[in-house]
Amino acid sequence: MSRVKVVMTLLVRDEADIVRSHLAFHLNAGVDFVVVTDNGSVAGTSDVLAEYERAGVARVLREPVGEFRQREWQSRMARLAAAEHGADWVINSDVDEFWWPRGGSLADVLGEIPGRYGVVQSLVRHFPPTADDEGPFHERLVHRLCERAPVNYPLCAGRPFRKLVHRAHPDATVIEGGHEVRGVDLQPLRGWYPIECLHFPMRSRAQVAAKGRMWTAAEEKFYGGPTVARAPGAAYHALLGRAAEADASDAYYDSLALSAADVAAGVERGLLEPDVRVRDA
């Protein structure tokens, strides 16, 4: 069987603390090429993207700050992956997600999927923030929530969910967040999850404040105001926005951040899995 080609799509805006780690991880984990939409990033993020573009492993589509057209941009990237970059499989990723194959590379595990299946579901595993937010995130955030952790309620940032990897198709429409693909008939693979998605949504106080400000601007532009009551599924992002509006982002971060004692207790109770490091994965 010939090796499958894996193309990742990525939508970013001002993610300098994580974008290099994201690209390096996936290009070493079996991704062959990355199609990126850069939504008006400033120096730092844009410099890293340009570096990978010059290296011939990324294509960067640049969109100015303004209207945020997530579904349109994600779908465009997925279609380009199929039509112009020879993808067999497409991973639609956010920059805080690291797709970890359970054995071998991403190409290896996707190459084993029987041809009748076109969608692979991935379990998302969350890494809670730490009280110490100095230094590289991947050296600090090394404890992930276990399945038994009591996090299955709408306002929880660690609430479990799934994301999808799909066979490349020039007519695919990617629904916001990459949780669904429409426009093509793709049979989902059930009962086997060969890829885990390691999720690092809150990495530092500064990053949480910036994310909250961006979410608030998006709510005002597209929903006319706050979305917590209207869309509980988006509550985690919306709460970041409420904290930013109240100039309370640091307090929100601290309310969720784990101290060394919290980590030790979580590991002892079986709620945290210890020493899971992206660089090792």
Side-chain angles (χ1 to χ4, degrees):
M1 180 182 296
S2 61
R3 183 185 184 279
V4 300
K5 184 172 183 178
V6 182
V7 175
M8 175 166 278
T9 74
L10 184 63
L11 176 58
V12 301
R13 179 178 174 186
D14 293 336
E15 304 280 3
D17 73 308
I18 196 172
V19 66
R20 183 183 296 278
S21 296
H22 185 278
L23 292 170
F25 175 91
H26 291 101
L27 290 167
N28 280 285
V31 168
D32 297 285
F33 193 79
V34 185
V35 181
V36 186
T37 296
D38 180 12
N39 183 208
S41 293
V42 297
T45 302
S46 58
D47 292 342
V48 172
L49 295 177
E51 177 185 328
Y52 279 84
E53 190 172 31
R54 289 193 299 270
V57 293
R59 175 179 179 179
V60 182
L61 310 172
R62 294 173 174 84
E63 294 287 348
V65 174
E67 187 175 357
F68 185 66
R69 306 193 303 276
Q70 184 178 17
R71 183 180 301 192
E72 176 187 330
W73 294 342
Q74 287 186 314
S75 299
R76 176 180 64 182
M77 290 188 290
R79 293 170 182 177
L80 286 173
E84 298 188 16
H85 296 287
D88 296 300
W89 287 91
V90 179
I91 302 174
N92 301 294
S93 184
D94 292 332
V95 75
D96 59 6
E97 297 168 347
F98 289 69
W99 300 73
W100 185 5
R102 288 177 160 175
S105 71
L106 289 164
D108 292 335
V109 297
L110 291 171
E112 294 296 323
I113 305 302
R116 64 183 178 277
Y117 298 112
V119 168
V120 174
Q121 301 177 81
S122 176
L123 298 174
V124 177
R125 306 293 298 278
H126 304 280
F127 287 67
T130 56
D132 175 14
D133 70 343
E134 298 293 330
F137 78 95
H138 51 79
E139 297 294 344
R140 295 179 289 104
L141 308 185
V142 297
H143 295 83
R144 64 178 173 182
L145 292 167
C146 295
E147 291 92 336
R148 62 179 293 185
V151 293
N152 196 15
Y153 57 97
L155 299 183
C156 181
R159 189 162 61 101
F161 59 87
R162 66 186 176 92
K163 293 199 69 169
L164 307 178
V165 179
H166 66 91
R167 288 195 188 272
H169 196 288
D171 296 326
T173 296
V174 181
I175 304 306
E176 287 84 351
H179 306 290
E180 184 181 356
V181 176
R182 298 178 186 170
V184 291
D185 185 16
L186 298 174
Q187 177 68 27
L189 174 68
R190 303 187 187 280
W192 180 35
Y193 300 89
I195 302 172
E196 287 187 283
C197 182
L198 311 183
H199 190 211
F200 301 86
M202 290 182 285
R203 303 179 296 279
S204 70
R205 292 171 180 83
Q207 175 259 329
V208 162
K211 192 169 187 175
R213 290 192 296 270
M214 283 193 289
W215 181 262
T216 298
E219 284 182 314
E220 186 63 35
K221 189 173 185 64
F222 300 110
Y223 302 109
T227 61
V228 172
R230 184 183 301 112
Y236 145 63
H237 298 87
L239 289 175
L240 288 179
R242 301 291 75 72
E245 281 187 319
D247 196 25
S249 293
D250 284 0
Y252 180 72
Y253 181 95
D254 291 337
S255 72
L256 299 172
L258 302 181
S259 66
D262 294 330
V263 169
V267 171
E268 183 178 0
R269 295 170 59 195
L271 305 180
L272 290 174
E273 183 177 353
D275 206 32
V276 181
R277 298 177 184 269
V278 166
R279 60 176 170 81
D280 296 336

